[in-house]
Amino acid sequence: MTIQVFGLPVARGIAIGKAVLVASSRLDVDHYFIDADQVEAEIGRLREARDLVARELESLKQAMPGDAPPELGALLDVHLMLLHDESLTSATKQWIRDRHYNAEWALSAQLEVLARQFDEMDDDYLRERKADIEQVVERLLRALARGGSSALAAATRKPIQQDWGGEEPLVLIANDIAPADMLQFKQSVFKGFVTDVGGKTSHTAIVARSMDIPAVVGAREASRLIRQDDWVIIDGDAGVVIVDPSPIVLEEYRFRQRQSELERERLARLRHTPSVTLDGEAVELLANIELPQDAPAALRAGAAGVGLFRSEFLFMNRDGELPGEDEQFEAYRAAVQAMDGLPVTIRTVDIGADKPLDRMSLSELRHEHTLNPALGLRAIRWSLSEPAMFRMQLRAILRASAYGKVRLLIPMLAHASEIRQTFEALARAKQQLRDAGTPFADVEVGAMIEVPAAALTIPLFVRHFDFVSLGTNDLIQYTLAIDRADESVSYLYDPWHPAVLRLIHDTIRAARQAGKGVSVCGEMAGDPSFTPLLLAMGLRSFSMHPSQIAAVKQRILRSDTAKLAQMLDAALACDDPQECYRPFMGEAAQLH
């Protein structure tokens, strides 16, 4: 039976494929594909884990005191029976053989199948046995972790790449996917993904857009309603997920999919076209990247440089171990050299909120249970609390500046004291390099304007910094007091809110009047519906994911900034977001 699940569209396009459910949030497991020649070894890992758990359960039975309740022994017998049940062991091996899942993923996939079967049982007693199978699987997962799995994973683990041997397209369904885990899915076999939770500008959604595949988040019950191997359509334009579609619906969406691909090909032809408005205003289009290997995509898209290198992704998927100075330097240098002389803006680590370190570390260990991570120890606050780590990153960035044009960007500044401490740390890092005889170049230093306090005191920032960059995602979140990762309040997240528009406008105007560079690197920069507004405000530098550059460039090529500027006063004078948008509605329709 066809069902529809509604969520928030975060990455445009149509994806069609069979559902792959990853473990729910109650189980923390790795998900990766293994090579064909590693299948038997992976099944061997599973067998060893099962034997280990069996020995543990037998030992528990033997160690039971004589006065122990008989129900306890019966429970252990049930767990032993489930451990050897074919519906668990044989089916798990099948996931490994057919899909080349690692053992942990195969176990969690089969648990999802069995859990659904228990949920559908009419008998209350049998239905409650789901907890037993969950406990057995959790024991197996712990045994896999103890049984030297990490060494095998290190030898066989690879990104979920397009070399997967299956013929059917796959789509990923999960309760949530952490930004760090999203990196595992770059260049993946998955044609799209759906999560139960998340907002349009959560970092998971941002990384999803960087993958340039259709995605829907905040779909609430998706991971419960969708079963393994269901055929699924993800409509990334409308935020709709269609499960088990009829042949007519499937064909309609396949047609739309082909049309979308043709539109992308048409836009790609603009790559070498100069980004200049109808009235001759040159506009700089830069790329946002997460890792050095993203730089070639920026060049292919025709980016004039990297406006935001999110360095925090170098710190993720490391089991809490921070990258050393040399490792960071190599990554930054690789990105700089890949851009072939074009500028690269590297933002210092923006850890915290919805981008925590794996298992947390250093000061984060003391704050992992903070009531509101978005208002806690994150970004520059975290860096200043770990001065040795901060200087290490600054040295690595400075060293990379010897190989090309590098600009340094500091996130989430709000106080004059933070500005002072940042420049003191930078001065000390430079002196340490001089003392060591390590070459580096002069770098421009910029500030992220993403806290209302920074936007309201913008004269302070343009006095100290060479340029500013508007992080509109956080600026909107903090201005409107909305957690941007919380789908329950996502309807209140409105970039057209008058307060947001006035803060953005005042920042752009102050920077231009001071002769300082100003750009927008948040999601507004990559959304063509905001391009006329930002042009009207005087913005001439946009930074976005490479896949968004062509669409924004098309909008710029059709824009007349002089005419747009005449509409700005009406937009800034409004009280309601709908009224703010209205002056540009005619322009938007005309440009379509």
Side-chain angles (χ1 to χ4, degrees):
M1 181 181 71
T2 299
I3 61 172
Q4 290 187 346
V5 183
F6 296 90
L8 302 171
V10 295
R12 294 174 177 271
I14 306 297
I16 302 171
K18 298 191 82 172
V20 172
L21 271 71
V22 302
S24 62
S25 58
R26 67 177 178 271
L27 296 173
D28 181 17
V29 301
D30 290 328
H31 299 82
Y32 57 90
F33 285 156
I34 58 172
D35 291 322
D37 59 1
Q38 292 291 337
V39 167
E40 292 307 317
E42 197 71 7
I43 290 175
R45 283 185 63 222
L46 181 66
R47 188 182 304 112
E48 291 172 7
R50 182 199 61 191
D51 293 344
L52 177 60
V53 171
R55 290 195 297 271
E56 289 176 350
L57 293 174
E58 290 289 357
S59 296
L60 286 171
K61 280 186 65 178
Q62 294 172 10
M64 282 175 54
D67 59 350
E71 292 84 3
L72 183 56
L75 179 62
L76 292 174
D77 286 334
V78 168
H79 282 201
L80 276 166
M81 179 189 68
L82 291 172
L83 184 65
H84 295 283
D85 192 284
E86 289 296 299
S87 65
L88 177 64
T89 56
S90 295
T92 301
K93 292 175 186 176
Q94 208 61 36
W95 287 113
I96 297 173
R97 288 195 178 99
D98 293 350
R99 286 276 178 86
H100 291 183
Y101 289 175
N102 64 305
E104 291 88 348
W105 191 356
L107 267 171
S108 62
Q110 186 57 20
L111 174 60
E112 294 291 343
V113 172
L114 293 174
R116 289 175 187 276
Q117 292 175 359
F118 278 103
D119 286 338
E120 293 170 358
M121 291 178 178
D122 293 330
D123 186 279
D124 290 341
Y125 175 80
L126 292 176
R127 193 162 56 245
E128 289 172 2
R129 299 283 66 77
K130 181 176 76 169
D132 294 319
I133 193 70
E134 289 173 346
Q135 291 167 14
V136 169
V137 169
E138 287 172 7
R139 280 186 174 273
L140 282 166
L141 290 170
R142 286 196 295 270
L144 283 167
R146 294 198 306 269
S149 62
S150 57
L152 179 63
T156 63
R157 187 174 191 156
K158 59 181 181 177
I160 304 180
Q161 300 277 340
Q162 293 286 7
D163 57 5
W164 180 70
E167 297 179 358
E168 296 164 334
L170 304 177
V171 296
L172 188 66
I173 314 295
N175 175 259
D176 193 15
I177 308 173
D181 295 333
M182 288 295 299
L183 295 181
Q184 296 292 336
F185 302 130
K186 282 206 168 210
Q187 306 301 319
S188 70
V189 299
F190 297 113
K191 304 301 181 184
F193 84 87
V194 180
T195 63
D196 296 341
V197 300
K200 281 189 174 184
T201 56
S202 64
H203 279 91
T204 299
I206 292 169
V207 179
R209 279 187 285 274
S210 78
M211 294 164 59
D212 197 22
I213 63 172
V216 173
V217 303
R220 298 298 180 95
E221 299 294 310
S223 67
R224 188 180 65 83
L225 296 172
I226 301 172
R227 302 171 183 270
Q228 292 279 3
D229 286 338
D230 275 348
W231 276 100
V232 173
I233 296 172
I234 299 174
D235 186 340
D237 298 312
V240 178
V241 181
I242 303 173
V243 186
D244 192 20
S246 67
I248 294 176
V249 171
L250 195 59
E251 187 55 39
E252 176 189 345
Y253 273 94
R254 281 181 174 148
F255 173 76
R256 289 178 55 183
Q257 198 175 39
R258 291 191 294 270
Q259 292 295 106
S260 178
E261 290 167 359
L262 289 172
E263 174 65 13
R264 289 189 185 200
E265 291 174 7
R266 186 179 66 81
L267 285 175
R269 297 172 191 165
L270 297 175
R271 174 189 170 188
H272 298 295
T273 303
S275 181
V276 180
T277 65
L278 291 173
D279 55 330
E281 289 284 324
V283 180
E284 181 182 54
L285 295 180
L286 305 169
N288 296 343
I289 66 173
E290 283 83 41
L291 296 170
Q293 50 265 43
D294 297 336
L299 285 176
R300 288 194 298 271
V306 171
L308 176 62
F309 182 156
R310 297 184 175 101
S311 67
E312 54 271 14
F313 287 93
L314 297 174
F315 290 66
M316 295 179 176
N317 288 335
R318 305 178 60 91
D319 292 335
E321 178 185 349
L322 298 181
E325 181 179 332
D326 288 341
E327 182 182 348
Q328 289 189 60
F329 160 66
E330 293 295 342
Y332 303 143
R333 181 176 67 173
V336 170
Q337 291 179 326
M339 291 306 293
D340 197 23
L342 295 174
V344 176
T345 303
I346 303 173
R347 182 176 69 184
T348 58
V349 61
D350 186 8
I351 287 296
D354 62 348
K355 294 180 294 180
L357 292 180
D358 308 302
R359 296 174 177 81
M360 313 304 284
S361 67
L362 301 178
S363 297
E364 286 280 276
L365 283 170
R366 302 190 295 272
H367 295 271
E368 64 178 313
H369 300 299
T370 185
L371 292 176
N372 193 331
L375 300 179
L377 192 69
R378 58 166 297 197
I380 190 59
R381 300 171 183 177
W382 187 75
S383 294
L384 292 176
S385 75
E386 300 289 345
M389 180 284 302
F390 189 35
R391 288 194 301 273
M392 180 192 299
Q393 182 174 34
L394 292 174
R395 288 194 302 270
I397 295 171
L398 289 169
R399 288 168 60 187
S401 70
Y403 296 86
K405 184 174 176 55
V406 171
R407 305 199 307 172
L408 178 65
L409 184 60
I410 311 298
M412 205 179 167
L413 289 162
H415 303 272
S417 60
E418 292 172 338
I419 297 173
R420 184 183 66 255
Q421 292 176 68
T422 296
F423 278 103
E424 288 172 353
L426 181 59
R428 186 168 179 184
K430 288 180 177 180
Q431 189 59 50
Q432 289 173 333
L433 292 178
R434 291 191 193 99
D435 293 344
T438 304
F440 64 92
D442 287 333
V443 298
E444 292 185 348
V445 183
M448 289 281 289
I449 306 299
E450 50 191 337
V451 178
L456 291 168
T457 57
I458 189 64
L460 169 69
F461 287 82
V462 296
R463 282 202 307 271
H464 287 89
F465 291 94
D466 300 305
F467 67 97
V468 295
S469 185
L470 276 152
T472 53
N473 305 336
D474 272 332
L475 184 62
I476 297 166
Q477 169 178 246
Y478 292 128
T479 302
L480 302 181
I482 293 169
D483 184 347
R484 58 193 176 98
D486 186 349
E487 74 278 5
S488 65
V489 293
S490 61
Y491 69 98
L492 294 172
Y493 186 95
D494 193 345
W496 289 97
H497 191 287
V500 173
L501 298 188
R502 290 165 197 168
L503 288 175
I504 294 172
H505 175 254
D506 290 348
T507 300
I508 294 172
R509 181 178 58 184
R512 285 171 61 90
Q513 287 176 347
K516 301 295 179 73
V518 55
S519 67
V520 170
C521 62
E523 291 299 290
M524 286 178 70
D527 187 340
S529 65
F530 288 102
T531 304
L533 172 73
L534 294 173
L535 289 173
M537 289 181 174
L539 188 71
R540 298 296 180 265
S541 180
F542 295 66
S543 190
M544 67 206 74
H545 183 264
S547 66
Q548 300 166 320
I549 288 177
V552 171
K553 181 183 284 188
Q554 181 185 60
R555 182 61 58 90
I556 289 168
L557 295 174
R558 298 175 178 179
S559 296
D560 185 322
T561 59
K563 291 181 179 178
L564 291 173
Q566 296 172 11
M567 308 176 192
L568 184 61
D569 287 344
L572 294 177
C574 69
D575 296 319
D576 182 85
Q578 290 298 321
E579 295 175 11
C580 296
Y581 178 66
R582 190 169 292 116
F584 294 93
M585 286 181 64
E587 183 72 15
Q590 205 174 49
L591 295 174
H592 277 303

